[in-house]
Amino acid sequence: MEVGGKLPDKAGAPFCKPCADDRKSVTAVKFCAVCKEWLCVSCTDYHRRLKATRTHTFLDKDLVAAVTQEENQENRFH
Ligand SMILES: [Zn+2]
Ligand SMILES: [Zn+2]
């Protein structure tokens, strides 16, 4: 396993999950709220076309960053 030393910033650019599984580092642009996965442009496009996943809701990267931060704050109180 290769470790570069630094993990990408949470608020920075996430990588597409399906592409990462394929050993490719592609910057994600959307987050699927159903799969809970990051998707790049082409994977988002594919996701929209597949019958099984076409109804899934996508969240914008900026929006997810904001939501994730809120969740983290909430979790501190539990
Ligand atoms: Zn999905
Ligand atoms: Zn992808």
Side-chain angles (χ1 to χ4, degrees):
M1 192 172 144
E2 44 181 319
V3 180
K6 263 172 92 183
L7 289 168
D9 193 334
K10 262 179 277 155
F15 289 117
C16 172
K17 179 66 167 51
C19 287
D21 289 346
D22 205 21
R23 292 158 159 261
K24 284 180 284 186
S25 297
V26 184
T27 305
V29 291
K30 297 279 183 193
F31 182 81
C32 178
V34 182
C35 302
K36 310 273 191 222
E37 277 183 5
W38 286 103
L39 301 165
C40 67
V41 177
S42 51
C43 289
T44 303
D45 203 40
Y46 187 62
H47 219 73
R48 280 196 180 116
R49 267 186 252 176
L50 269 184
K51 214 179 254 178
T53 52
R54 71 199 308 175
T55 56
H56 289 186
T57 309
F58 298 105
L59 301 175
D60 247 28
K61 197 161 68 178
D62 299 345
L63 197 71
V64 176
V67 171
T68 310
Q69 274 178 5
E70 267 175 38
E71 274 181 6
N72 285 345
Q73 279 173 3
E74 254 180 53
N75 286 342
R76 264 187 240 160
F77 298 107
H78 290 299

Coordinates of all heavy atoms in Angstrom, one line a residue:
M1 N 0.9 -1.2 0.0 CA 0.0 0.0 0.0 C 0.9 1.2 0.0 O 1.8 1.4 0.8 CB -0.9 0.0 1.2 CG -2.0 1.0 1.2 SD -3.1 0.7 2.6 CE -3.5 2.4 3.0
E2 N 0.6 2.1 -0.9 CA 1.4 3.3 -1.0 C 0.8 4.5 -0.2 O -0.4 4.8 -0.3 CB 1.6 3.7 -2.4 CG 0.3 3.6 -3.2 CD 0.5 4.0 -4.7 OE1 1.2 4.9 -5.0 OE2 -0.1 3.3 -5.5
V3 N 1.6 5.1 0.6 CA 1.1 6.2 1.4 C 1.9 7.4 1.1 O 3.1 7.5 1.3 CB 1.2 5.9 2.9 CG1 0.6 7.0 3.8 CG2 0.4 4.6 3.3
G4 N 1.2 8.4 0.6 CA 1.9 9.6 0.3 C 2.3 10.5 1.5 O 3.1 11.4 1.4
G5 N 1.7 10.2 2.6 CA 2.0 10.9 3.8 C 0.9 11.8 4.2 O 0.5 11.8 5.4
K6 N 0.3 12.5 3.3 CA -0.8 13.5 3.6 C -2.1 13.0 3.0 O -2.1 12.6 1.9 CB -0.4 14.8 3.1 CG 0.2 15.7 4.1 CD 0.7 17.0 3.5 CE -0.4 18.1 3.6 NZ 0.1 19.3 3.0
L7 N -3.1 13.1 3.8 CA -4.4 12.8 3.3 C -5.0 14.1 2.7 O -4.7 15.1 3.1 CB -5.3 12.4 4.5 CG -5.1 11.0 5.1 CD1 -5.8 10.8 6.4 CD2 -5.5 9.9 4.1
P8 N -5.8 13.9 1.7 CA -6.4 15.1 1.1 C -7.3 15.8 2.1 O -7.9 15.2 2.9 CB -7.2 14.6 -0.1 CG -7.3 13.1 0.1 CD -6.2 12.7 1.0
D9 N -7.3 17.1 2.0 CA -8.1 17.9 2.8 C -9.6 17.6 2.7 O -10.1 17.4 1.5 CB -7.9 19.4 2.5 CG -8.5 20.3 3.6 OD1 -9.4 19.9 4.2 OD2 -8.0 21.4 3.7
K10 N -10.3 17.4 3.8 CA -11.7 17.1 3.7 C -12.5 18.1 2.8 O -13.4 17.7 2.1 CB -12.3 17.1 5.1 CG -12.4 15.7 5.7 CD -13.0 15.8 7.1 CE -11.9 16.2 8.1 NZ -12.3 16.9 9.3
A11 N -12.2 19.3 3.0 CA -12.9 20.4 2.2 C -12.3 20.6 0.8 O -12.8 21.3 0.1 CB -12.8 21.7 3.0
G12 N -11.2 19.9 0.6 CA -10.6 20.0 -0.8 C -11.3 19.2 -1.8 O -12.4 18.7 -1.6
A13 N -10.6 18.8 -2.8 CA -11.2 18.1 -3.9 C -11.2 16.6 -3.6 O -10.2 16.0 -3.4 CB -10.4 18.3 -5.2
P14 N -12.4 16.0 -3.5 CA -12.5 14.6 -3.3 C -12.3 13.8 -4.6 O -12.4 14.4 -5.7 CB -13.9 14.4 -2.8 CG -14.7 15.5 -3.2 CD -13.7 16.6 -3.5
F15 N -11.9 12.6 -4.5 CA -11.7 11.8 -5.7 C -12.9 10.9 -6.0 O -13.6 10.4 -5.0 CB -10.5 10.9 -5.6 CG -9.2 11.7 -5.7 CD1 -8.4 11.8 -4.6 CD2 -8.9 12.5 -6.8 CE1 -7.2 12.5 -4.6 CE2 -7.8 13.2 -6.9 CZ -6.9 13.3 -5.8
C16 N -13.2 10.7 -7.3 CA -14.3 9.8 -7.7 C -14.1 8.4 -7.2 O -13.0 7.8 -7.3 CB -14.4 9.8 -9.2 SG -15.5 8.6 -9.9
K17 N -15.1 7.8 -6.5 CA -15.0 6.5 -5.9 C -14.9 5.4 -6.9 O -14.0 4.6 -6.8 CB -16.2 6.3 -4.9 CG -16.2 5.0 -4.3 CD -15.1 4.8 -3.3 CE -15.3 3.6 -2.4 NZ -15.6 2.4 -3.1
P18 N -15.8 5.3 -7.9 CA -15.7 4.2 -8.9 C -14.3 4.3 -9.7 O -13.7 3.3 -9.9 CB -16.8 4.5 -9.9 CG -17.8 5.3 -9.1 CD -17.0 6.1 -8.1
C19 N -13.8 5.5 -9.9 CA -12.6 5.6 -10.6 C -11.4 5.2 -9.7 O -10.4 4.6 -10.1 CB -12.4 7.1 -11.1 SG -13.4 7.5 -12.5
A20 N -11.5 5.6 -8.4 CA -10.5 5.2 -7.4 C -10.4 3.7 -7.3 O -9.3 3.1 -7.2 CB -10.8 5.8 -6.1
D21 N -11.6 3.0 -7.4 CA -11.6 1.5 -7.4 C -10.9 1.0 -8.6 O -10.3 -0.1 -8.6 CB -13.0 1.0 -7.4 CG -13.7 1.3 -6.0 OD1 -13.0 1.6 -5.1 OD2 -14.9 1.2 -6.0
D22 N -10.8 1.8 -9.6 CA -10.2 1.4 -10.9 C -8.7 1.9 -10.9 O -8.1 2.0 -12.0 CB -11.0 1.9 -12.1 CG -10.7 1.1 -13.3 OD1 -10.3 -0.1 -13.2 OD2 -11.0 1.6 -14.4
R23 N -8.3 2.4 -9.7 CA -6.9 2.9 -9.6 C -6.7 4.2 -10.4 O -5.6 4.4 -10.8 CB -5.9 1.8 -10.0 CG -5.8 0.7 -9.0 CD -5.2 -0.5 -9.6 NE -4.8 -1.5 -8.6 CZ -3.5 -1.6 -8.2 NH1 -2.6 -0.8 -8.7 NH2 -3.2 -2.4 -7.3
K24 N -7.7 5.0 -10.5 CA -7.5 6.2 -11.2 C -7.9 7.3 -10.2 O -8.8 7.2 -9.4 CB -8.5 6.3 -12.4 CG -7.9 5.5 -13.6 CD -8.9 5.6 -14.8 CE -10.1 4.8 -14.6 NZ -11.0 4.8 -15.8
S25 N -7.1 8.4 -10.2 CA -7.4 9.6 -9.4 C -8.1 10.6 -10.2 O -7.4 11.4 -10.9 CB -6.1 10.1 -8.7 OG -5.6 9.1 -7.9
V26 N -9.4 10.6 -10.1 CA -10.2 11.6 -10.9 C -10.9 12.5 -9.9 O -11.6 12.0 -9.0 CB -11.2 11.0 -11.8 CG1 -11.9 12.0 -12.7 CG2 -10.5 9.9 -12.7
T27 N -10.8 13.8 -10.0 CA -11.5 14.7 -9.1 C -13.0 14.6 -9.3 O -13.6 14.6 -10.4 CB -11.1 16.2 -9.5 OG1 -9.7 16.2 -9.4 CG2 -11.7 17.1 -8.4
A28 N -13.7 14.4 -8.2 CA -15.1 14.3 -8.2 C -15.8 15.6 -8.2 O -15.3 16.6 -7.8 CB -15.6 13.5 -6.9
V29 N -17.0 15.6 -8.8 CA -17.7 16.9 -8.9 C -19.1 16.8 -8.2 O -19.7 17.8 -7.9 CB -18.0 17.3 -10.4 CG1 -16.7 17.7 -11.1 CG2 -18.6 16.1 -11.2
K30 N -19.6 15.5 -8.1 CA -20.9 15.3 -7.4 C -20.8 14.2 -6.4 O -19.9 13.4 -6.4 CB -21.9 14.9 -8.5 CG -22.2 15.9 -9.5 CD -23.1 17.0 -9.1 CE -23.4 17.9 -10.2 NZ -24.1 19.1 -9.7
F31 N -21.7 14.3 -5.4 CA -21.8 13.3 -4.4 C -23.2 12.6 -4.5 O -24.2 13.3 -4.5 CB -21.6 13.9 -3.0 CG -21.6 12.9 -1.9 CD1 -20.5 12.1 -1.6 CD2 -22.7 12.7 -1.1 CE1 -20.5 11.2 -0.5 CE2 -22.8 11.8 -0.1 CZ -21.6 11.1 0.2
C32 N -23.2 11.3 -4.7 CA -24.5 10.6 -4.7 C -25.0 10.4 -3.3 O -24.4 9.7 -2.5 CB -24.4 9.3 -5.5 SG -26.0 8.5 -5.5
A33 N -26.2 11.0 -3.0 CA -26.7 10.9 -1.7 C -27.2 9.5 -1.3 O -27.4 9.2 -0.2 CB -27.9 11.9 -1.5
V34 N -27.5 8.7 -2.4 CA -28.0 7.3 -2.1 C -26.8 6.4 -2.0 O -26.8 5.6 -1.0 CB -28.9 6.9 -3.3 CG1 -29.5 5.5 -3.1 CG2 -30.0 7.9 -3.5
C35 N -25.9 6.4 -2.8 CA -24.7 5.5 -2.8 C -23.7 6.0 -1.8 O -22.8 5.2 -1.3 CB -24.0 5.4 -4.1 SG -25.1 4.8 -5.4
K36 N -23.8 7.3 -1.4 CA -22.8 7.9 -0.5 C -21.4 7.8 -1.1 O -20.4 7.4 -0.5 CB -22.8 7.2 0.9 CG -24.1 7.1 1.5 CD -24.5 8.3 2.3 CE -25.8 8.1 3.1 NZ -26.7 9.3 3.1
E37 N -21.4 8.1 -2.4 CA -20.1 8.0 -3.1 C -19.8 9.3 -3.9 O -20.8 9.9 -4.5 CB -20.1 6.8 -4.1 CG -19.8 5.5 -3.4 CD -19.8 4.4 -4.4 OE1 -19.9 4.6 -5.6 OE2 -19.6 3.2 -4.0
W38 N -18.6 9.6 -4.0 CA -18.2 10.7 -4.9 C -18.1 10.3 -6.3 O -17.7 9.1 -6.6 CB -16.8 11.3 -4.5 CG -16.9 12.0 -3.2 CD1 -16.5 11.6 -2.0 CD2 -17.4 13.4 -3.0 NE1 -16.8 12.6 -1.0 CE2 -17.3 13.7 -1.6 CE3 -17.9 14.3 -3.9 CZ2 -17.7 14.9 -1.1 CZ3 -18.3 15.6 -3.4 CH2 -18.2 15.8 -2.0
L39 N -18.5 11.1 -7.2 CA -18.5 10.8 -8.7 C -17.9 11.9 -9.5 O -18.1 13.1 -9.2 CB -19.9 10.5 -9.2 CG -20.7 9.4 -8.4 CD1 -22.2 9.5 -8.8 CD2 -20.1 8.0 -8.8
C40 N -17.1 11.5 -10.5 CA -16.5 12.5 -11.4 C -17.6 12.8 -12.5 O -18.7 12.2 -12.5 CB -15.2 12.0 -12.0 SG -15.5 10.6 -13.1
V41 N -17.2 13.6 -13.5 CA -18.1 14.0 -14.5 C -18.7 12.8 -15.3 O -19.9 12.7 -15.4 CB -17.5 15.0 -15.5 CG1 -18.4 15.4 -16.6 CG2 -17.0 16.3 -14.7
S42 N -17.8 12.0 -15.7 CA -18.2 10.9 -16.6 C -19.0 9.8 -15.8 O -19.9 9.2 -16.3 CB -17.0 10.2 -17.3 OG -16.0 9.9 -16.4
C43 N -18.6 9.6 -14.5 CA -19.3 8.7 -13.7 C -20.7 9.2 -13.3 O -21.7 8.4 -13.2 CB -18.5 8.3 -12.4 SG -17.1 7.3 -12.8
T44 N -20.8 10.5 -13.1 CA -22.1 11.1 -12.8 C -23.0 10.9 -14.0 O -24.2 10.5 -13.9 CB -22.0 12.6 -12.6 OG1 -21.1 12.8 -11.5 CG2 -23.3 13.3 -12.2
D45 N -22.5 11.1 -15.2 CA -23.2 10.9 -16.5 C -23.7 9.5 -16.6 O -24.9 9.2 -16.9 CB -22.2 11.3 -17.6 CG -23.0 11.7 -18.8 OD1 -24.0 12.4 -18.7 OD2 -22.6 11.2 -19.9
Y46 N -22.8 8.6 -16.3 CA -23.1 7.1 -16.3 C -24.2 6.8 -15.3 O -25.2 6.1 -15.6 CB -21.9 6.4 -16.1 CG -22.0 4.9 -16.3 CD1 -22.3 4.4 -17.5 CD2 -21.7 4.0 -15.2 CE1 -22.4 3.0 -17.7 CE2 -21.8 2.6 -15.4 CZ -22.2 2.1 -16.7 OH -22.3 0.8 -16.8
H47 N -24.1 7.4 -14.1 CA -25.0 7.1 -13.0 C -26.4 7.6 -13.5 O -27.4 7.0 -13.1 CB -24.5 8.0 -11.9 CG -24.7 7.3 -10.5 ND1 -23.9 6.3 -10.1 CD2 -25.5 7.6 -9.5 CE1 -24.2 6.0 -8.9 NE2 -25.2 6.7 -8.5
R48 N -26.5 8.7 -14.2 CA -27.8 9.2 -14.6 C -28.4 8.4 -15.7 O -29.6 8.4 -15.9 CB -27.5 10.6 -15.2 CG -27.4 11.7 -14.1 CD -27.6 13.1 -14.8 NE -27.5 14.1 -13.8 CZ -26.5 15.0 -13.8 NH1 -25.6 15.0 -14.7 NH2 -26.5 16.0 -12.8
R49 N -27.6 7.6 -16.4 CA -28.1 6.8 -17.5 C -28.6 5.4 -17.1 O -29.4 4.9 -17.7 CB -27.1 6.7 -18.6 CG -27.2 7.8 -19.6 CD -26.3 7.7 -20.8 NE -25.2 8.7 -20.7 CZ -24.2 8.7 -21.5 NH1 -24.1 7.8 -22.4 NH2 -23.3 9.6 -21.4
L50 N -27.9 4.9 -16.1 CA -28.2 3.6 -15.7 C -29.6 3.5 -15.0 O -30.0 4.4 -14.2 CB -27.2 3.1 -14.6 CG -26.0 2.3 -15.1 CD1 -25.2 1.9 -14.0 CD2 -26.4 1.1 -16.0
K51 N -30.4 2.6 -15.4 CA -31.8 2.5 -14.9 C -31.8 2.4 -13.3 O -32.6 2.9 -12.7 CB -32.4 1.2 -15.5 CG -33.9 1.4 -15.7 CD -34.5 0.2 -16.4 CE -34.8 0.4 -17.8 NZ -35.4 -0.8 -18.5
A52 N -30.8 1.6 -12.8 CA -30.8 1.3 -11.4 C -30.4 2.6 -10.6 O -30.8 2.7 -9.4 CB -29.8 0.2 -11.1
T53 N -29.7 3.5 -11.2 CA -29.2 4.6 -10.4 C -29.7 6.0 -10.9 O -29.3 7.0 -10.4 CB -27.6 4.6 -10.4 OG1 -27.2 4.5 -11.8 CG2 -27.1 3.4 -9.6
R54 N -30.5 6.0 -11.9 CA -30.9 7.3 -12.6 C -31.7 8.2 -11.6 O -31.8 9.4 -11.8 CB -31.6 7.0 -13.9 CG -33.0 6.4 -13.7 CD -33.5 5.8 -14.9 NE -33.4 6.6 -16.1 CZ -33.7 6.3 -17.3 NH1 -34.1 5.0 -17.6 NH2 -33.7 7.1 -18.3
T55 N -32.4 7.5 -10.6 CA -33.2 8.3 -9.7 C -32.5 8.9 -8.5 O -33.0 9.5 -7.7 CB -34.4 7.5 -9.2 OG1 -33.9 6.3 -8.6 CG2 -35.3 7.1 -10.4
H56 N -31.2 8.5 -8.5 CA -30.4 9.0 -7.3 C -30.2 10.5 -7.3 O -30.2 11.1 -8.3 CB -29.0 8.3 -7.3 CG -29.1 6.8 -7.0 ND1 -28.0 6.1 -6.9 CD2 -30.2 6.0 -6.8 CE1 -28.4 4.8 -6.6 NE2 -29.7 4.8 -6.6
T57 N -30.1 11.0 -6.1 CA -29.9 12.4 -6.0 C -28.5 12.8 -5.9 O -27.7 12.2 -5.1 CB -30.6 12.9 -4.7 OG1 -32.0 12.4 -4.7 CG2 -30.7 14.4 -4.6
F58 N -28.1 13.8 -6.6 CA -26.7 14.3 -6.5 C -26.6 15.5 -5.8 O -27.4 16.4 -5.9 CB -26.1 14.5 -8.0 CG -26.1 13.3 -8.8 CD1 -27.1 13.1 -9.8 CD2 -25.2 12.3 -8.6 CE1 -27.1 12.0 -10.6 CE2 -25.2 11.1 -9.4 CZ -26.1 11.0 -10.4
L59 N -25.5 15.6 -5.0 CA -25.3 16.8 -4.3 C -24.0 17.5 -4.8 O -23.1 16.8 -5.2 CB -25.1 16.5 -2.8 CG -26.2 15.9 -2.1 CD1 -25.8 15.5 -0.6 CD2 -27.4 16.8 -2.0
D60 N -24.0 18.8 -4.8 CA -22.8 19.5 -5.3 C -21.7 19.4 -4.3 O -22.0 19.4 -3.1 CB -23.2 21.0 -5.6 CG -23.2 21.3 -7.0 OD1 -23.4 20.4 -7.8 OD2 -22.9 22.5 -7.4
K61 N -20.5 19.5 -4.8 CA -19.3 19.4 -4.0 C -19.3 20.4 -2.8 O -19.1 20.1 -1.7 CB -18.1 19.5 -4.8 CG -16.8 19.0 -4.2 CD -15.8 18.8 -5.2 CE -15.3 20.1 -5.8 NZ -14.2 19.9 -6.8
D62 N -19.6 21.6 -3.2 CA -19.6 22.7 -2.2 C -20.7 22.5 -1.1 O -20.4 22.8 0.0 CB -19.9 24.1 -2.9 CG -18.8 24.4 -3.9 OD1 -17.7 23.7 -3.9 OD2 -19.0 25.2 -4.8
L63 N -21.8 22.0 -1.6 CA -22.9 21.7 -0.6 C -22.5 20.7 0.4 O -22.8 20.8 1.5 CB -24.1 21.3 -1.5 CG -25.5 21.4 -0.7 CD1 -25.9 22.8 -0.6 CD2 -26.5 20.7 -1.6
V64 N -21.9 19.6 -0.1 CA -21.5 18.5 0.7 C -20.5 18.9 1.8 O -20.6 18.5 2.9 CB -21.0 17.3 -0.1 CG1 -20.5 16.2 0.8 CG2 -22.0 16.8 -1.1
A65 N -19.6 19.7 1.4 CA -18.6 20.2 2.3 C -19.2 20.9 3.5 O -18.9 20.8 4.6 CB -17.6 21.2 1.6
A66 N -20.3 21.7 3.2 CA -21.0 22.5 4.2 C -21.7 21.5 5.1 O -21.7 21.6 6.3 CB -21.9 23.5 3.6
V67 N -22.4 20.5 4.5 CA -23.2 19.6 5.3 C -22.3 18.7 6.2 O -22.6 18.5 7.3 CB -24.0 18.7 4.3 CG1 -24.7 17.5 5.1 CG2 -25.1 19.5 3.6
T68 N -21.2 18.3 5.6 CA -20.3 17.4 6.4 C -19.8 18.2 7.6 O -19.7 17.6 8.7 CB -19.1 17.0 5.5 OG1 -19.6 16.5 4.3 CG2 -18.3 15.9 6.2
Q69 N -19.5 19.4 7.4 CA -19.0 20.2 8.6 C -20.1 20.3 9.6 O -19.8 20.2 10.8 CB -18.6 21.6 8.1 CG -17.2 21.7 7.5 CD -16.9 23.0 7.0 OE1 -17.6 24.0 7.1 NE2 -15.7 23.2 6.4
E70 N -21.3 20.5 9.2 CA -22.4 20.6 10.2 C -22.5 19.3 11.0 O -22.7 19.3 12.2 CB -23.7 20.9 9.5 CG -24.0 22.4 9.4 CD -25.2 22.7 8.6 OE1 -26.2 21.9 8.7 OE2 -25.3 23.7 7.9
E71 N -22.5 18.2 10.3 CA -22.6 16.9 10.9 C -21.5 16.7 11.9 O -21.7 16.2 13.0 CB -22.5 15.8 9.8 CG -23.9 15.5 9.2 CD -23.9 14.4 8.2 OE1 -22.8 13.8 8.1 OE2 -24.9 14.2 7.5
N72 N -20.3 17.0 11.6 CA -19.2 16.9 12.5 C -19.4 17.7 13.7 O -19.1 17.2 14.8 CB -17.9 17.3 11.8 CG -17.4 16.3 10.8 OD1 -17.9 15.2 10.8 ND2 -16.5 16.7 9.9
Q73 N -19.9 18.8 13.6 CA -20.2 19.7 14.8 C -21.2 19.0 15.7 O -21.1 19.0 16.9 CB -20.6 21.0 14.3 CG -19.5 21.9 13.9 CD -19.9 23.3 13.4 OE1 -21.1 23.5 13.3 NE2 -19.0 24.1 12.9
E74 N -22.2 18.5 15.0 CA -23.3 17.8 15.8 C -22.8 16.6 16.6 O -23.1 16.4 17.7 CB -24.4 17.4 14.9 CG -25.7 18.3 15.0 CD -26.7 17.8 14.0 OE1 -27.0 16.6 14.1 OE2 -27.2 18.6 13.2
N75 N -22.0 15.8 15.9 CA -21.4 14.6 16.5 C -20.6 14.9 17.8 O -20.5 14.0 18.6 CB -20.6 13.8 15.5 CG -21.5 13.2 14.5 OD1 -22.7 13.0 14.7 ND2 -20.9 12.8 13.3
R76 N -20.1 16.0 17.9 CA -19.3 16.3 19.1 C -20.1 16.3 20.3 O -19.6 16.1 21.4 CB -18.7 17.7 18.9 CG -17.3 17.6 18.4 CD -16.6 19.0 18.4 NE -16.2 19.4 17.0 CZ -16.0 20.7 16.7 NH1 -16.1 21.6 17.5 NH2 -15.7 20.9 15.4
F77 N -21.4 16.6 20.2 CA -22.3 16.7 21.4 C -22.8 15.3 21.8 O -23.5 15.2 22.8 CB -23.4 17.7 21.1 CG -22.9 19.0 20.9 CD1 -22.9 19.6 19.6 CD2 -22.4 19.8 21.9 CE1 -22.4 20.9 19.4 CE2 -21.9 21.1 21.7 CZ -21.9 21.6 20.4
H78 N -22.6 14.3 21.0 CA -23.1 13.0 21.4 C -22.1 12.2 22.2 O -20.9 12.3 22.1 CB -23.5 12.2 20.1 CG -24.7 12.8 19.5 ND1 -25.9 12.9 20.1 CD2 -24.8 13.3 18.3 CE1 -26.7 13.5 19.2 NE2 -26.1 13.8 18.1
Ligands
ZN1 ZN -26.0 6.6 -6.6
ZN2 ZN -15.3 8.5 -12.1

